[in-house]
Amino acid sequence: MGQCPAMHPRALLNACTELLRLCLAFEHPADAVVSRYFREHRGLGVRERGALADAAYAVLRRKLLYEHFAAAGPGEQGERTRQLAVLGLAQVGEALAPGPAADALPCERLDAALDPDEQRWLAACEAVDPAELPAPCRHNLPEWLAERLRVQLAEKTGGEVGKESGEPSDKDSGAPFWALAYSLLRNAPLDLRVNIFKEKRENVQEELAQCAIESVATPYSPWGLRLQAKPALASVPAYQRGAFEVQDEGSQLLALLLGAKRGEMVADFCAGAGGKTLAIGACMRGTGRLYAFDTSAHRLEALKERLARSGLANVHTVAIAHERDERIQRLAGKLDRVLVDAPCSGLGTLRRNPDLKWRQSAEAVGQFAERQREILQGAARLVKPGGRLVYATCSLLTEENEAVVAAFSAAHREFDPLDVGAVLAGLKVERAAELCSGPASGSDYLRLWPHRHATDGFFAAGWTRKK
């Protein structure tokens, strides 16, 4: 068991209860709520912040399980949030959670904050056999999302897959669904993208090791390093000089698939804070012209500091009103490559953002899909004959992925679909076929799953405009 933060357990439990009340209101993203809480409580130490954040995210990941336990807990109904906090602090990696242990900070002195009834209740929770729990308490997904993923994975995999050690035996059919569900309850690793415009991956890995930061090369991205620990990176010299950025391996593969080259005219159509923009710019070796379009000027502003570190001088940020903005229309038919990393439900990032499964809805997914079709159509106008268009999301759902792609292909015969698997294999991506799916070649689309590839959930498809 790890050591407990210096804060008295009762004070820590009270703080966790307060933080959870704010998070469970779902008025804002959980990371923003946690950051604001820490700004307003500057007296909290580093370890206390870590314990509180871990506990809050544990509850968000396992909300249905913990609510099930809390319903049988001592005290009044109004104390349920406190009991959720107890479960979160008691820690996510032990018998309370289905699946292998998650990264956590257990608090062996938590009993000091609990009365005898609560201690007995917590011990009873820990003694529960996860296999005997109702299915929602094991998958911890809203029912609308669980049902869609069950159907989707049954269709895509066409059969069962083996269970990982540590997971409870499943009474339901559809093992691929359960493999995904359990993977979404785990913390994501920390991936870095080496800035190939400045450095080589092996050199950065060696420098990190000298700073006592151990890493391994990512299995698919030629630019990636994976850290199991979550060290503070802002003070690392290699970070400060722009030798790497934090970026999930799946996101790196999207930039790789675009295939941007020196001297080309390229656009990142929904650039956001610019993670993929920086990766694309590095592929172009700082040459040509790379447009970073987004409707949020605030997000593009956040890119400036990262751009300065990267050493890239070919990136031009442009805040637009919509996909029909006049500044975009001037570039119609002129760009070699366009990436559309479309706004989406974000359900592929549940390991990092577990609150999204409670903040999104089936209705919202439908609205995203409609907007995605509009954005893709607008971005396609920029591609010149012979140019490449790539559509991507960080969603798991067919509605936002294959369905959007199929509708675009049917309406735009001037675009030939890419064989994504063949493109990735040509770029020397290891085991490229493992990353792909599709109805025709079987490698029409990039399809990344947390339980299969240890990345966030990503989807991508591409086209070449006919000459």
Side-chain angles (χ1 to χ4, degrees):
M1 301 285 282
Q3 292 182 343
C4 204
M7 192 176 194
H8 189 279
R10 188 173 294 108
L12 186 68
L13 177 56
N14 290 341
C16 190
T17 303
E18 180 184 359
L19 176 58
L20 273 174
R21 284 198 182 99
L22 298 171
C23 288
L24 294 173
F26 298 118
E27 295 176 354
H28 303 285
D31 59 350
V33 173
V34 172
S35 295
R36 180 175 179 178
Y37 184 85
F38 290 161
R39 287 196 302 272
E40 293 175 349
H41 297 79
R42 296 189 181 276
L44 293 168
V46 172
R47 298 192 67 210
E48 293 156 349
R49 290 171 181 238
L52 291 171
D54 285 349
Y57 274 78
V59 173
L60 291 169
R61 286 192 178 95
R62 299 165 173 79
K63 180 171 171 285
L64 298 182
L65 173 67
Y66 288 0
E67 287 176 341
H68 175 80
F69 285 147
E76 301 297 325
Q77 187 64 35
E79 296 179 14
R80 293 299 179 247
T81 305
R82 170 188 164 88
Q83 289 160 346
L84 295 177
V86 169
L87 293 167
L89 287 171
Q91 217 14 261
V92 298
E94 310 200 332
L96 295 176
D103 295 335
L105 192 64
C107 184
E108 59 189 355
R109 291 168 53 211
L110 182 60
D111 277 357
L114 307 180
D115 63 34
D117 286 343
E118 289 176 319
Q119 292 175 15
R120 285 190 288 271
W121 162 73
L122 183 57
C125 292
E126 293 173 340
V128 170
D129 180 0
E132 298 304 315
L133 290 165
C137 293
R138 288 180 285 133
H139 62 60
N140 284 279
L141 296 167
E143 193 52 43
W144 70 268
L145 179 57
E147 184 57 31
R148 291 189 185 200
L149 290 174
R150 283 180 191 274
V151 172
Q152 190 172 311
L153 282 164
E155 290 174 350
K156 290 186 178 299
T157 60
E160 302 280 321
V161 297
K163 298 180 180 63
E164 300 176 28
S165 62
E167 291 172 354
S169 59
D170 178 40
K171 296 177 290 185
D172 302 301
S173 61
F177 165 78
W178 286 100
L180 172 63
Y182 294 138
S183 75
L184 294 176
L185 295 176
R186 303 187 186 98
N187 289 342
L190 181 63
D191 290 352
L192 310 180
R193 177 187 57 80
V194 172
N195 180 2
I196 58 171
F197 182 54
K198 285 187 167 186
E199 304 279 353
K200 293 183 177 180
R201 178 163 67 171
E202 56 269 25
N203 294 343
V204 173
Q205 186 175 25
E206 182 178 345
E207 184 175 345
L208 289 173
Q210 292 171 357
C211 297
I213 299 174
E214 296 302 319
S215 64
V216 296
T218 49
Y220 306 112
S221 169
W223 312 323
L225 293 172
R226 177 159 295 162
L227 286 58
Q228 289 303 322
K230 303 290 176 69
L233 296 172
S235 60
V236 174
Y239 176 79
Q240 293 176 340
R241 69 170 189 276
F244 67 83
E245 287 280 340
V246 174
Q247 186 176 22
D248 184 80
E249 182 183 22
S251 180
Q252 297 176 38
L253 290 174
L254 299 184
L256 187 69
L257 177 60
L258 188 66
K261 295 180 172 61
R262 295 173 186 262
E264 290 185 332
M265 290 183 66
V266 180
D268 185 353
F269 202 76
C270 304
K276 297 176 190 68
T277 304
L278 296 174
I280 295 165
C283 290
M284 298 169 70
R285 300 290 177 176
T287 66
R289 194 170 184 86
L290 173 55
Y291 294 96
F293 294 121
D294 203 89
T295 56
S296 172
H298 176 73
R299 296 187 73 187
L300 289 175
E301 185 68 23
L303 173 57
K304 289 184 177 179
E305 182 181 341
R306 302 170 75 190
L307 263 178
R309 285 200 311 271
S310 73
L312 298 172
N314 63 334
V315 178
H316 303 268
T317 60
V318 183
I320 58 174
H322 43 68
E323 70 275 6
R324 302 175 304 281
D325 193 293
E326 182 180 327
R327 284 163 289 188
I328 292 175
Q329 298 309 318
R330 296 174 188 157
L331 296 171
K334 296 180 180 179
L335 299 191
D336 296 282
R337 300 174 196 267
V338 176
L339 172 64
V340 182
D341 183 20
C344 68
S345 64
L347 293 170
T349 68
L350 292 182
R351 297 179 307 165
R352 304 177 196 278
N353 305 296
D355 57 307
L356 278 177
K357 59 187 172 183
W358 312 116
R359 295 175 54 232
Q360 296 290 16
S361 65
E363 293 74 22
V365 169
Q367 293 167 3
F368 276 119
E370 181 178 351
R371 185 78 186 106
Q372 287 153 1
R373 290 190 290 269
E374 294 171 351
I375 292 171
L376 179 57
Q377 182 169 317
R381 299 188 184 103
L382 303 185
V383 183
K384 73 180 187 182
R388 179 177 294 180
L389 172 66
V390 172
Y391 170 80
T393 76
C394 55
S395 172
L396 298 170
L397 298 179
T398 301
E399 279 180 76
E400 300 182 80
N401 296 325
E402 289 89 348
V404 172
V405 168
F408 179 84
S409 291
H412 295 272
R413 299 297 183 182
E414 72 275 23
F415 283 89
D416 287 328
L418 284 178
D419 183 332
V420 168
V423 172
L424 293 177
L427 293 169
K428 310 298 186 204
V429 173
E430 295 287 336
R431 307 191 305 279
E434 296 178 6
L435 309 175
C436 299
S437 68
S441 65
S443 59
D444 307 66
Y445 313 132
L446 177 71
R447 248 301 187 175
L448 301 177
W449 297 93
H451 65 295
R452 291 188 60 195
H453 307 113
T455 67
D456 287 344
F458 279 103
F459 172 89
W463 300 264
T464 301
R465 187 162 199 161
K466 296 177 181 177
K467 294 183 179 179

